[in-house]
Amino acid sequence: MSDCLFCKISRGEIPSERVYEDDKVFVIKDINPQAPVHLLVIPHAHIESLNDLSEEYGALMAHIMGLLPKLAKEQGLDTGFRTIINTGRGGGQVIFHLHVHLLGGGQLPGF
Ligand code: 5GP
Ligand code: ZN
């Protein structure tokens, strides 16, 4: 997707502070952090949202789920962390390229 922000960041066309990268995903710091640690875990593949997942992405999603606690540990989030996936406009999604928010540091407020 040529005009997608996260595709552009994936391809290196827009600079970003990468915390982690492999062949499936990359991880950047959110530009507008909502907690002391706020990372975005983003697949290189352009998938618009959870609504667009299919069986073929099962291994990718398992990879992301396994990566989240490792990233949290690396970031020193020893007492816990929060993960959020916004889906669709009504769910607060602004960038229509699937991503998982990883938040933590201090004590996050409850819902
Ligand atoms: P959404 O609301 O789609 O779940 O989350 C999009 C997130 O991307 C927001 O938290 C926003 O701050 C972040 N964001 C938007 N543009 C950029 C950018 O250019 N660079 C980075 N690192 N984060 C961005
Ligand atoms: Zn994209």
Side-chain angles (χ1 to χ4, degrees):
M1 294 292 271
S2 54
D3 58 349
C4 167
L5 176 69
F6 286 169
C7 283
K8 285 182 180 168
I9 293 177
S10 164
R11 292 193 296 263
E13 292 168 18
I14 293 177
S16 66
E17 203 175 331
R18 294 196 188 205
V19 171
Y20 173 86
E21 180 165 21
D22 61 31
D23 58 330
K24 297 186 185 70
V25 301
F26 62 105
V27 180
I28 58 176
K29 294 186 179 179
D30 197 290
I31 205 168
N32 183 23
Q34 302 299 310
V37 174
H38 186 170
L39 302 181
L40 301 173
V41 182
I42 309 171
H44 287 294
H46 181 85
I47 305 162
E48 280 202 11
S49 79
L50 281 185
N51 286 329
D52 302 284
L53 278 184
S54 53
E55 285 287 324
E56 65 181 298
Y57 295 120
L60 170 65
M61 295 311 289
H63 178 66
I64 291 174
M65 289 300 136
L67 186 58
L68 289 163
K70 291 183 188 151
L71 290 166
K73 194 168 185 192
E74 270 175 27
Q75 295 289 320
L77 304 179
D78 298 327
T79 62
F81 59 92
R82 176 172 294 166
T83 49
I84 297 174
I85 303 176
N86 295 325
T87 302
R89 271 190 305 130
Q93 187 174 6
V94 173
I95 308 234
F96 284 81
H97 178 134
L98 181 67
H99 52 281
V100 181
H101 296 256
L102 170 60
L103 301 124
Q107 176 62 53
L108 295 184
F111 279 3

